[in-house]
Amino acid sequence: MSKQWRRVRTALNLDWVTSHTFRKTVATLIDEQGLSARVGADQLGHAQISMTQDVYMGRKTVHTEVADALDRIVQ
């Protein structure tokens, strides 16, 4: 399967698309739909939820106070 996939993605000029890309996309879609990290871990076959959260799910938290503090320092 890997050899065939490499040929297809090369022919389509999609060398950057890997099986990991697909897994990350699935995790992102699960996360965006508001499903739990447990659901994501189960779907991806992870025993530990932390693996799913740390590697596959993005952090949505933005701390604007950090940007504000940095702006004050630079000004």
Side-chain angles (χ1 to χ4, degrees):
M1 178 68 182
S2 294
K3 188 175 181 179
Q4 291 172 325
W5 175 240
R6 277 192 300 274
R7 279 198 309 250
V8 169
R9 67 187 185 155
T10 299
L12 296 173
N13 198 28
L14 296 173
D15 291 324
W16 59 272
V17 179
T18 65
S19 59
H20 184 76
T21 308
F22 284 121
R23 291 174 61 79
K24 191 148 178 82
T25 300
V26 167
T28 298
L29 294 172
I30 288 170
D31 192 25
E32 287 176 351
Q33 291 300 308
L35 300 172
S36 69
R38 176 76 267 164
V39 170
D42 290 345
Q43 181 63 38
L44 296 172
H46 296 150
Q48 300 296 321
I49 296 172
S50 60
M51 167 64 109
T52 308
Q53 291 171 315
D54 294 345
V55 176
Y56 289 89
M57 293 183 151
R59 304 246 347 222
K60 295 179 198 164
T61 306
V62 176
H63 298 283
T64 56
E65 63 272 15
V66 174
D68 293 341
L70 292 173
D71 283 343
R72 285 191 300 274
I73 293 169
V74 177
Q75 292 177 6

